[in-house]
Amino acid sequence: MFLKQEVSLNTRKNFFTLQVLKLFKLLHRTRQEVFKNDTKALEAARQKINEEFRNNRDETSEEKINELLKIASDVEVILRTSVIQAIHTDSDKIVLIPRKDLLQDNTPYLDKPTKKQES
């Protein structure tokens, strides 16, 4: 009986370890894509990701681990979908560099919607 519980606990621990490592790698891949060619931002993001994971390395509460995994997953989505690079070209000009996955088809705004033709 005791051995069965120990195996079950080890299986859960391994599951969480795999989830944490998978998310850690995903955050770093996202960081590399989002901050491509920006060494300062790449390094700052690398340090922050590593720091947050290191600070919570000894966490044992499943509830807290799940909460931290959710936060990390949300951060990855925000980085991937909301961050855009910009370069100052002059004192009053900024060039935006959107990634292809951020670009969407634009639907033009119409003051008066057109009536749909009935068939």
Side-chain angles (χ1 to χ4, degrees), residues 13-98:
K13 184 178 178 184
N14 288 341
F15 172 76
F16 282 118
T17 301
L18 288 174
Q19 292 297 103
V20 168
L21 288 173
K22 182 178 177 180
L23 197 49
F24 181 79
K25 289 178 180 181
L26 180 61
L27 276 165
H28 277 291
R29 275 188 244 112
T30 302
R31 165 191 71 91
Q32 289 173 336
E33 186 173 322
V34 168
F35 301 117
K36 185 190 265 183
N37 300 324
D38 185 345
T39 54
K40 287 183 181 179
L42 280 166
E43 181 60 22
R46 185 188 70 78
Q47 287 179 2
K48 186 64 175 172
I49 292 167
N50 291 346
E51 175 188 334
E52 290 299 324
F53 276 81
R54 193 176 305 113
N55 288 343
N56 295 292
R57 175 178 40 201
D58 298 325
E59 186 59 57
T60 57
S61 165
E62 287 185 19
E63 187 177 306
K64 181 68 174 174
I65 292 170
N66 281 325
E67 181 183 324
L68 291 166
L69 287 171
K70 173 73 171 116
I71 291 169
S73 179
D74 291 347
V75 167
E76 191 277 332
V77 169
I78 290 170
L79 280 173
R80 186 171 25 86
T81 61
S82 302
V83 175
I84 187 167
Q85 287 184 310
I87 299 174
H88 287 275
T89 56
D90 286 330
S91 62
D92 62 344
K93 291 184 182 178
I94 297 176
V95 174
L96 299 179
I97 307 169

Side-chain angles (χ1 to χ4, degrees), residues 108-118:
Y109 174 77
L110 299 174
D111 282 334
K112 295 181 181 177
T114 58
K115 292 183 181 179
K116 291 185 180 179
Q117 294 179 356
E118 294 182 24

